[in-house]
Amino acid sequence: MSDQDGRAARDRKAARWYDDEAGPVVRPYAMTRGRTRTAAEGRLDLIAQVIAESRTPEAIEDQTLAPEHVEIVERCRRSPLSVAELAAELDLPVGVVRVLIGDLLDADLVRVSRPVPPAELPDEQVLREVIDGLRAL
């Protein structure tokens, strides 16, 4: 390979303004418009289930939604997904996904369902006593 061929290859490589391995060009703070928190922060732990509302097809055509918002709505229309699953599937930080979900909650396009924490579940002994009581009837 001549020196001129090598220089031409370097020039072509330098002409590319992005790196294929660098990932998305848009920074996460641009997706959230610089926000790091949402009013729904307390409701959006990692296992909170995000469920699309029934009128969601209208949301897909909403021009005010970012592509990431639309993607969240489309994925949750198929089946409810946890915040952690959405972050993994979208390859975005959890904090960014929480802010995006908060926007969708404010627009009434999704709802969030939180599983009952194990500490709030009834004791196994209480459940056994209830079953025994029902059998005695």
Side-chain angles (χ1 to χ4, degrees):
M1 180 152 133
S2 71
D3 185 44
Q4 188 175 16
D5 291 337
R7 190 172 320 138
R10 280 193 305 275
D11 289 344
R12 280 193 306 275
K13 190 172 183 178
R16 289 182 26 194
W17 61 274
Y18 66 94
D19 181 3
D20 290 334
E21 296 176 13
V25 177
V26 177
R27 298 275 185 212
Y29 64 80
M31 286 182 227
T32 62
R33 292 172 281 175
R35 297 169 294 146
T36 58
R37 297 193 178 267
T38 179
E41 191 82 21
R43 296 172 40 202
L44 296 174
D45 57 6
L46 292 176
I47 61 172
Q49 296 289 305
V50 181
I51 304 156
E53 290 292 345
S54 60
R55 63 186 185 118
T56 306
E58 300 165 9
I60 304 305
E61 298 164 5
D62 186 350
Q63 297 299 316
T64 62
L65 293 177
E68 294 80 17
H69 288 109
V70 174
E71 186 69 22
I72 290 171
V73 172
E74 285 179 350
R75 288 176 186 264
C76 293
R77 260 192 358 190
R78 290 182 222 133
S79 68
L81 293 169
S82 71
V83 173
E85 289 171 318
L86 283 168
E89 288 184 15
L90 296 172
D91 196 26
L92 292 173
V94 172
V96 171
V97 172
R98 283 182 176 147
V99 172
L100 296 174
I101 293 169
D103 295 343
L104 295 171
L105 282 167
D106 291 343
D108 292 326
L109 297 174
V110 298
R111 60 186 165 89
V112 174
S113 173
R114 295 184 62 209
V116 178
E120 294 178 17
L121 291 173
D123 183 31
E124 183 180 340
Q125 183 60 33
V126 172
L127 292 175
R128 289 186 189 279
E129 290 175 10
V130 169
I131 291 171
D132 291 341
L134 290 171
R135 286 184 182 147
L137 293 174

